[in-house]
Amino acid sequence: MDADERDVSPEKAFSLLGNDTRIEIIQALWDADDPLSFSELHDRVGIRDSGQFNYHLNKLVGLFVRQTDEKYELTYAGFRIMGAILSGTYTQRAEAETFALDTYCPDCGTELIAEYEEETVRVRCETCERNRSTFGLPPGAFEGRNETELRQTFERWLLNVFSLMADGMCLNCSGKTVGSLVTESEYFADEQEAGIEFRCERCGDYAVGNLGTYLLEHPAVVAFHYDHGIDLTDYPVWELEWPRPENARIISEDPLLVECVIELDGDELRLSVDEELAVSVE
Ligand SMILES: [Zn+2]
Ligand SMILES: [Zn+2]
């Protein structure tokens, strides 16, 4: 298939949406459980003139709406537009708020706070006056969640974004991400020597995390915990001692090699990670 003939410019795609009736059509198709006929769809959209209605509907067919067997339904692009509307990223401006996190600063032990402002969460230690983490979060995430659920959302969101990027995919643009060891970052804790960075090759979005967070899903780590009575698939990660940021020691500068030691009940598991993020059990 010829990509040039099928691709639509961003200007064209977004200009197609700049109309009340067209947004109402997308919303009505989203609300419907099944594809709708022309008259069913017309009934649900607040425009009387059926010529006008037809005109706007036809603008959407192809890119945002699919027509099959005289019925209309949203395409994947239509679903994504509705998802963007519901998440509030483009339509809501959230109130600034501050939350205590029930998670503690690895450097000084102060309870961390999350400040939400301009659609960005900043996890901060007020004692060290430092950002521990910064990430964008759509305002729609606040709807229907109480403070406890929000704290969990912040933590899970971060872990999930990190894990998606570790799997090679950017949450922002679906581009390909590459991972590397880094020895400097504004997000490092005081004693931290190394961390992991994932960067999107297309949009440049990036995430920096602890080596421990990266190793949590490694089979040797999962098995080592399992042998000591800990099921990592069902365990609050923040209660583990070893994934601390300082538990990543540089053992070779060139080539760069970083070691992480996990201790459970007096047993030790030693892992090293190289520049390509390949993990070896020592
Ligand atoms: Zn601190
Ligand atoms: Zn990207």
Side-chain angles (χ1 to χ4, degrees):
M1 141 190 345
D2 186 350
D4 293 342
E5 282 175 17
R6 296 182 53 91
D7 285 355
V8 179
S9 72
E11 295 86 337
K12 170 119 193 277
F14 285 106
S15 72
L16 286 174
L17 297 167
N19 174 282
D20 291 354
T21 301
R22 295 179 203 169
I23 295 295
E24 271 187 67
I25 290 171
I26 289 177
Q27 221 139 9
L29 290 171
W30 168 273
D31 287 337
D33 293 330
D34 298 305
L36 298 177
S37 69
F38 182 88
S39 60
E40 286 169 333
L41 182 56
H42 191 192
D43 284 347
R44 295 178 191 206
V45 174
I47 180 169
R48 289 246 174 119
D49 183 331
S50 85
Q52 276 290 311
F53 171 74
N54 193 26
Y55 169 77
H56 289 302
L57 177 58
N58 278 329
K59 288 283 179 194
L60 296 173
V61 169
L63 189 55
F64 298 107
V65 172
R66 181 187 305 120
Q67 184 187 8
T68 37
D69 299 335
E70 308 293 311
K71 299 259 186 180
Y72 297 87
E73 63 184 346
L74 291 181
T75 60
Y76 179 68
F79 268 97
R80 289 293 298 257
I81 288 297
M82 212 41 224
I85 292 171
L86 291 172
S87 78
T89 302
Y90 309 107
T91 49
Q92 298 172 19
R93 297 283 72 92
E95 298 271 318
E97 277 185 87
T98 302
F99 307 86
L101 276 188
D102 204 19
T103 299
Y104 297 86
C105 172
D107 290 325
C108 73
T110 305
E111 185 171 30
L112 297 175
I113 55 161
E115 292 170 344
Y116 187 65
E117 207 179 346
E118 296 188 334
E119 292 74 60
T120 301
V121 179
R122 279 185 188 80
V123 178
R124 286 178 51 74
C125 171
E126 285 187 305
T127 308
C128 299
E129 294 184 346
R130 249 167 84 173
N131 276 356
R132 305 258 56 137
S133 180
T134 305
F135 55 98
L137 189 70
F142 285 78
E143 212 175 283
R145 288 194 176 92
N146 64 31
E147 207 172 314
T148 311
E149 289 166 334
L150 273 175
R151 281 202 292 263
Q152 282 168 356
T153 302
F154 294 158
E155 267 162 357
R156 296 308 308 173
W157 172 264
L158 256 188
L159 279 177
N160 286 329
V161 169
F162 192 70
S163 144
L164 187 69
M165 290 188 100
D167 283 339
M169 177 144 147
C170 172
L171 177 77
N172 189 38
C173 78
S174 308
K176 188 180 159 194
T177 58
V178 283
S180 59
L181 279 177
V182 282
T183 51
E184 264 174 45
S185 163
E186 61 176 305
Y187 300 113
F188 275 13
D190 284 347
E191 302 293 315
Q192 186 168 358
E193 292 183 1
I196 305 267
E197 182 188 274
F198 293 103
R199 193 171 279 273
C200 174
E201 288 181 328
R202 184 153 61 194
C203 75
D205 199 7
Y206 69 98
V208 177
N210 294 341
L211 193 68
T213 313
Y214 176 66
L215 292 173
L216 273 172
E217 290 179 13
H218 191 276
V221 175
V222 175
F224 184 65
H225 284 77
Y226 191 74
D227 289 344
H228 289 85
I230 296 173
D231 177 358
L232 281 184
T233 60
D234 183 29
Y235 195 85
V237 168
W238 52 92
E239 287 184 16
L240 294 169
E241 295 264 317
W242 65 267
R244 293 186 315 270
E246 65 272 24
N247 191 6
R249 291 279 163 212
I250 296 174
I251 52 171
S252 159
E253 299 269 359
D254 190 17
L256 186 60
L257 208 57
V258 177
E259 182 188 62
C260 175
V261 182
I262 306 175
E263 242 188 80
L264 291 174
D265 307 328
D267 292 332
E268 253 186 24
L269 178 68
R270 285 176 177 268
L271 304 122
S272 59
V273 178
D274 71 15
E275 271 168 306
E276 267 80 55
L277 302 188
V279 180
S280 310
V281 181
E282 292 166 21

